[in-house]
Amino acid sequence: MTSNGTLSNTSKNTLRDVLTRLEKEGAGLGHFNVSDQVLLKAVVAAAAETKLPVLIGASEGERDFFGARQLAALVKSEREQSDVPLFLNADHTHSLAKALEAAKAGFDAVTIDFSALPFEENVARTKEAVQAIKAVNPAILAEGEIGDIGTGSEIKETAQGGKLSTPEEARQFVEATGIDDLAPAVGNMHGMLKSMVQGKAKKHLDLERISQIKKAAGVFLTLHGGSGTDDEHFRKAIAAGINIIHINTELRVAWRESLDKSLARDLNEVVPYKILRPVVDSVKQVVSSRLRLFHGQTVSPEAVETVA
Ligand code: G3H
Ligand code: ZN
């Protein structure tokens, strides 16, 4: 850990610095969730392959499975060997205790998520969590959430999500809580419909609303529920003010499909690293393809295929 407590190697490479630089370049930072070391290896390999920074995310459920301190230690170790910045976010954190646990473990960012509560309660609980984690480490990036975009990075039967966020709510929420980064509801949704997994349908965003919210909020913006979003909408959302994009279900779909295939290839194969190597490669392809898109690079048709 650095003297300011985060996992960053140098002060030049803080998450805030990278976000500021990417915003100037018109690029977005990819946030990819991991629940195990296969997914972590895939995300780190994609960052190395593309030479682009990544934000590694783990929700409360993913952290419970992995171990928050164990994940922080692994990311610290990967970072020491990496030429590109790797950051770690405590995604969808629903309690003060879990936010503090992540801050003390050395996470670079915490997504404080009380968005299921009424607005005033969301403000009060978020503000309390921001103050608590900044008391542990002032350099931590504190994200707050407003609106309803459904829950769970899973394959869903029907669309979820409620009312979209307004610029006025965004302004009030940022002013009252002291967050560094806001995650609004702008047509995004957690998880994917079956038609999206099959590549037959895409999520579309309210781009005008994103730019109005950016002006009103004046902070970094995060787009949750990125899986299955139309490529052109991703590009335009970044141009409208989105700084961080969360992708999870697409990785889970690639993980599951490639694991099924790998297991079916030879029923007598029992060597874990032989079974799991193709899984790492498949997830890596999805992450690399999304990273290139968020940085305005051309994505090959084969790479798009693996995402669809
Ligand atoms: O926090 C995680 C994400 O918002 C991921 O959403 O599963 O729709 O990509 P997704
Ligand atoms: Zn999310």
Side-chain angles (χ1 to χ4, degrees):
M1 270 191 241
T2 60
S3 55
N4 65 16
T6 66
L7 297 166
S8 304
N9 287 339
T10 70
S11 59
K12 280 189 186 136
N13 266 348
T14 66
L15 177 52
R16 202 177 299 269
D17 291 340
V18 168
L19 286 170
T20 304
R21 173 171 65 78
L22 294 185
E23 187 164 68
K24 281 191 197 130
E25 292 170 4
L29 178 66
H31 173 291
F32 303 96
N33 289 70
V34 301
S35 344
D36 70 357
Q37 215 183 342
V38 168
L39 287 151
L40 177 61
K41 280 170 91 70
V43 176
V44 170
E49 180 180 82
T50 59
K51 304 202 183 334
L52 294 170
V54 290
L55 182 51
I56 297 158
S59 63
E60 282 188 3
E62 289 163 334
R63 287 181 340 250
D64 282 350
F65 186 71
F66 216 133
R69 291 181 57 223
Q70 288 72 16
L71 175 58
L74 274 174
V75 171
K76 180 175 182 283
S77 161
E78 292 286 1
R79 179 177 280 165
E80 281 159 8
Q81 293 193 312
S82 171
D83 296 332
V84 290
L86 308 174
F87 299 103
L88 183 58
N89 178 43
D91 201 12
H92 294 295
T93 301
H94 304 292
S95 73
L96 183 59
K98 288 285 180 187
L100 280 169
E101 179 188 63
K104 287 176 187 166
F107 281 59
D108 301 286
V110 178
T111 297
I112 302 159
D113 183 4
F114 293 111
S115 58
L117 299 176
F119 188 79
E120 288 310 324
E121 236 178 297
N122 184 6
V123 167
R125 303 278 300 270
T126 301
K127 183 179 175 187
E128 180 189 29
V130 171
Q131 288 172 350
I133 59 174
K134 296 228 180 227
V136 174
N137 171 15
I140 287 185
L141 198 90
E143 177 176 306
E145 293 207 38
I146 52 171
D148 173 17
I149 60 162
T151 55
S153 288
E154 293 162 350
I155 298 170
K156 295 174 176 169
E157 293 296 330
T158 51
Q160 290 183 334
K163 188 174 118 338
L164 301 185
S165 306
T166 66
E168 184 49 25
E169 268 169 0
R171 189 191 59 74
Q172 278 179 26
F173 192 76
V174 170
E175 273 179 21
T177 57
I179 52 169
D180 305 298
D181 177 343
L182 176 71
V186 288
N188 44 339
M189 176 193 93
H190 279 125
M192 293 171 87
L193 299 176
K194 279 185 189 152
S195 54
M196 292 172 180
V197 176
Q198 293 157 353
K200 293 179 187 158
K202 297 283 177 196
K203 293 178 193 170
H204 294 103
L205 306 167
D206 188 334
L207 300 163
E208 182 52 34
R209 191 176 293 264
I210 294 172
S211 74
Q212 288 168 358
I213 288 177
K214 182 71 172 190
K215 275 188 209 118
V219 291
F220 295 124
L221 292 186
T222 293
L223 182 77
H224 280 256
S227 292
T229 301
D230 179 75
D231 284 5
E232 203 45 35
H233 274 237
F234 269 141
R235 289 192 196 98
K236 289 182 174 163
I238 293 166
I242 291 290
N243 302 95
I244 300 173
I245 300 175
H246 284 223
I247 303 276
N248 192 358
T249 314
E250 286 179 3
L251 274 56
R252 291 178 170 185
V253 169
W255 174 88
R256 169 70 197 244
E257 287 179 355
S258 54
L259 183 58
D260 281 348
K261 264 191 219 151
S262 193
L263 288 169
R265 207 166 285 136
D266 178 357
L267 296 183
N268 291 316
E269 183 57 82
V270 292
V271 182
Y273 57 79
K274 291 187 181 168
I275 295 170
L276 295 173
R277 202 167 279 138
V279 184
V280 172
D281 284 345
S282 297
V283 177
K284 183 188 83 171
Q285 275 188 48
V286 176
V287 176
S288 291
S289 144
R290 283 324 201 182
L291 279 173
R292 290 191 175 106
L293 178 73
F294 301 158
H295 287 260
Q297 300 174 11
T298 317
V299 179
S300 71
E302 305 85 67
V304 174
E305 199 95 317
T306 59
V307 172

